[in-house]
Amino acid sequence: MPVLALSALGKDYAAPVLDDVSLALHAGEVLALTGENGAGKSTLSKIVCGLVRPTRGHMLLGGQPFQPGSRRQAEWLGVRMVMQELGLVPTLSVAENLLLDRLPHRAGWICRARLHELAARQLAKIGLNDIDPATPVARLGIGQQQMVEIARNLHDDTRLLVLDEPTAMLTPRETAHLFEQIEQLKTRGVAIIYVSHRLEELRRIADRVAVLRDGRLVDERPMAGVSEAEIVSRMVGRAVQVHDDRPRRAAGPVLLSARGIGRATAVRDVDMDLHAGEVMGLAGLVGSGRTELARLLFGADRADRGALQLHDGAGGTRRIPGGWRSPMQAIRAGVGLVTEDRKSQGLLLPQPIRVNVTLSDLGAIARAGWLRFAQERGLARQLAELLRIRARGIEQPVATLSGGNQQKVVFARWLHRECRVLLLDEPTRGVDVGARADLYAELDRMAAAGKALLMVSSDLRELMAMCDRIGVMKAGQLVAVFERGQWSEQALLTAAFGDAAGAEIPLSTTPAPAGPATHTPSVPSQT
């Protein structure tokens, strides 16, 4: 008997977003659920977990009718979900978030020692032994928060676990811990729905794959023997370009430099040059300082030492001691940032697409202090079509879009601004392979136009496919920079984890000429 059976499930809003989906999931099985952004994956997951009520169809859980009226009711029946958007309470501690519905208490008082003991056990399940349970969640990086969210849902009474893009912000080490836990859950008979755009992950852990397109189930088959190209073809219905063998772009003049830039211990005296016409990647473990460095380069945080140097490309240099005073100063100087946390830092969620995509440069669509709405609407439509934003129209509130389409809106804002230097922190988080190809094409266009791009990503494959140089952060330091043709996944991981023997890792920041490099740096072996 299936753990979960879906029959002709459908959901309508202004138009159908899910239609006639029938699936069955058995104990100890991992079902990979994939499709383009807006294909209905999150809607289907939320229906199963009680966050959304279906318009039609029905569900069975263990052979019994199943229609949870709330997430709490679904969890009471053993159905849990790790959502793409975090649901933690930032003002509470890690321990309080993990055990919010079952805080240990005595005579009305919380037993702190017992709370922290139970929380430490829960964190250990996902390999988070280095996080203090008493730490407020707001102090954690977004990747660590994602790990806490996963740990919160790993309960012994779980019958069905839905994971919606669980590794979007995780590094290989955290992902490996998660996969180990998934294997343990399978042996206990837990059924798992795994929603992801990372097809290499799906092929690694899934038993079956189901593909949604435009709200309908277009394919369902065993994962064994299925290639990534076949899955992509069913998802998007068109060929998607792969960039793994691209030549190195020619590096132009330096546009932005950091010299000894730092902030406490989060970023420690980093030297870096960003060149016109080049994409530089930034890799590292969660907490290594990648995001913190990007924020310093944008003025979102104030540096306490070092300086930035802004170059005009013609020999002129402007030195900014201590870095930008504010993001507005950076924006006026031609520096933009695609933030890693679009929900709280990148978007005005109640506002429509039109407002969000034009927000970065209102002066371009204004005359004598008044917005020209016809021009604003035309520009918004152009950007929405360029990035293939799936929406009912440019007046649709951003809060109602899928996560991937929200990310496209953030990206579109900086296409409108036309920055000289663009910093991208996890720019394709939660974005499907088809939309990702669209974003990559825009990055190629910007690099070809002489922009300098810095891409922070937890996905090494993405960095290796798109970048000309990849820097590696560790404990707030830039410990290595590899040229295209010199790196390997092993070398990048070795630099990120560091050498146990304390050997020095080579650092080279001088860009190579265009074309593949032939020299391979001597990087210590990973122990």
Side-chain angles (χ1 to χ4, degrees):
M1 177 185 299
V3 171
L4 177 72
L6 313 179
S7 180
L9 214 59
K11 176 64 181 179
D12 298 339
Y13 289 108
V17 296
L18 205 66
D19 190 32
D20 195 29
V21 175
S22 298
L23 281 171
L25 185 61
H26 296 82
E29 181 182 38
V30 176
L31 174 69
L33 185 62
T34 191
E36 288 193 279
N37 294 124
K41 304 183 302 298
S42 293
T43 300
L44 179 60
S45 301
K46 290 176 180 178
I47 288 174
V48 170
C49 296
L51 283 82
V52 171
R53 287 180 176 263
T55 305
R56 54 193 171 277
H58 62 274
M59 300 183 287
L60 298 176
L61 183 67
Q64 300 298 316
F66 175 62
Q67 190 171 356
S70 65
R71 183 177 185 178
R72 187 177 184 86
Q73 184 180 355
E75 291 179 345
W76 185 76
L77 294 170
V79 178
R80 297 181 175 273
M81 180 179 185
V82 177
M83 299 182 66
Q84 182 177 342
E85 302 294 345
L86 300 178
L88 302 175
V89 182
T91 54
L92 298 182
S93 71
V94 170
E96 290 164 337
N97 272 279
L98 289 173
L99 301 159
L100 192 57
D101 58 344
R102 48 196 175 96
L103 296 171
H105 58 88
R106 182 179 301 155
W109 295 89
I110 296 175
C111 303
R112 293 287 171 182
R114 180 61 175 165
L115 172 65
H116 293 162
E117 177 187 352
L118 293 174
R121 291 181 189 175
Q122 198 75 7
L123 291 170
K125 291 181 179 180
I126 200 68
L128 296 179
N129 300 303
D130 57 344
I131 292 183
D132 183 353
T135 303
V137 161
R139 294 185 184 175
L140 301 180
I142 192 73
Q144 290 174 311
Q145 291 184 33
Q146 179 75 68
M147 294 294 287
V148 172
E149 179 77 22
I150 293 169
R152 188 166 71 94
N153 288 277
L154 298 180
H155 290 276
D156 294 336
D157 63 349
T158 301
R159 301 167 68 186
L160 171 65
L161 180 63
V162 180
L163 299 169
D164 190 0
E165 297 287 352
T167 64
M169 297 297 296
L170 305 186
T171 58
R173 181 173 63 176
E174 284 77 32
T175 298
H177 283 304
L178 174 61
F179 287 174
E180 290 171 4
Q181 187 62 35
I182 287 175
E183 289 299 327
Q184 294 180 27
L185 291 170
K186 289 178 64 177
T187 61
R188 286 171 25 202
V190 176
I192 298 171
I193 297 176
Y194 192 99
V195 182
S196 180
H197 298 121
R198 296 185 174 183
L199 303 184
E200 71 279 4
E201 291 182 359
L202 301 184
R203 296 182 65 227
R204 177 177 171 184
I205 65 166
D207 301 297
R208 284 188 300 130
V209 58
V211 181
L212 293 177
R213 188 196 302 165
D214 297 328
R216 301 183 69 89
L217 183 66
V218 296
D219 198 7
E220 180 192 359
R221 64 175 72 180
M223 181 60 80
V226 178
S227 69
E228 291 186 19
E230 290 178 283
I231 299 175
V232 171
S233 176
R234 297 298 286 157
M235 284 173 56
V236 303
R238 66 181 191 274
V240 175
Q241 186 178 2
V242 179
H243 300 282
D244 290 341
D245 299 323
R246 70 158 72 242
R248 193 201 194 286
R249 301 175 184 88
V254 175
L255 296 186
L256 182 68
S257 300
R259 292 293 178 263
I261 202 78
R263 179 180 172 88
T265 59
V267 179
R268 298 192 288 171
D269 307 324
V270 169
D271 292 341
M272 174 187 289
D273 293 326
L274 300 180
H275 293 257
E278 181 186 66
V279 179
M280 179 173 180
L282 208 56
L285 305 179
V286 171
S288 63
R290 300 169 304 167
T291 291
E292 290 79 2
L293 176 57
R295 289 176 61 85
L296 289 184
L297 296 178
F298 184 63
D301 294 326
R302 288 293 304 274
D304 54 27
R305 58 191 180 275
L308 296 178
Q309 294 178 355
L310 188 68
H311 307 267
D312 62 11
T317 300
R318 172 188 171 195
R319 190 173 184 272
I320 306 99
W324 309 113
R325 294 190 301 273
S326 68
M328 185 56 68
Q329 186 184 16
I331 291 171
R332 287 171 178 161
V335 180
L337 171 68
V338 174
T339 176
E340 67 169 343
D341 189 353
R342 58 178 174 260
K343 187 175 181 180
S344 66
Q345 299 175 12
L347 294 167
L348 302 177
L349 292 172
Q351 295 295 322
I353 295 170
R354 168 180 54 81
V355 171
N356 275 274
V357 299
T358 59
L359 191 61
S360 59
D361 192 2
L362 295 178
I365 53 174
R367 178 178 294 166
W370 295 88
L371 287 178
R372 293 180 288 178
F373 291 109
Q375 185 175 350
E376 181 188 34
R377 286 191 291 269
L379 177 61
R381 290 193 192 96
Q382 179 182 348
L383 291 170
E385 291 173 4
L386 180 66
L387 293 177
R388 308 190 201 195
I389 297 173
R390 287 175 174 261
R392 296 189 299 272
I394 59 172
E395 298 302 326
Q396 182 174 344
V398 168
T400 64
L401 299 177
S402 68
N405 282 297
Q406 288 180 357
Q407 188 71 2
K408 288 184 179 183
V409 171
V410 177
F411 200 91
R413 178 181 303 163
W414 297 111
L415 295 183
H416 167 51
R417 180 74 191 193
E418 287 288 343
C419 297
R420 298 177 69 234
V421 178
L422 184 59
L423 314 171
L424 305 119
D425 195 355
E426 303 287 357
T428 60
R429 176 189 172 210
V431 176
D432 64 69
V433 290
R436 189 172 300 187
D438 296 336
L439 296 183
Y440 290 164
E442 285 307 308
L443 294 183
D444 284 334
R445 182 192 66 79
M446 296 179 77
K451 316 298 183 186
L453 307 177
L454 177 69
M455 177 187 288
V456 178
S457 179
S458 301
D459 188 343
L460 291 183
R461 287 183 46 165
E462 175 173 73
L463 293 179
M464 294 167 71
M466 285 300 298
C467 297
D468 304 293
R469 289 185 295 148
I470 300 178
V472 181
M473 295 287 292
K474 179 178 182 290
Q477 293 181 301
L478 184 64
V479 296
V481 178
F482 297 90
E483 287 285 338
R484 173 166 286 278
Q486 296 178 344
W487 63 57
S488 67
E489 188 168 352
Q490 176 71 25
L492 294 170
L493 289 173
T494 297
F497 280 99
D499 181 45
E504 183 179 355
I505 297 175
L507 175 61
S508 171
T509 58
T510 302
T518 56
H519 172 66
T520 301
S522 58
V523 180
S525 299
Q526 186 176 4
T527 56

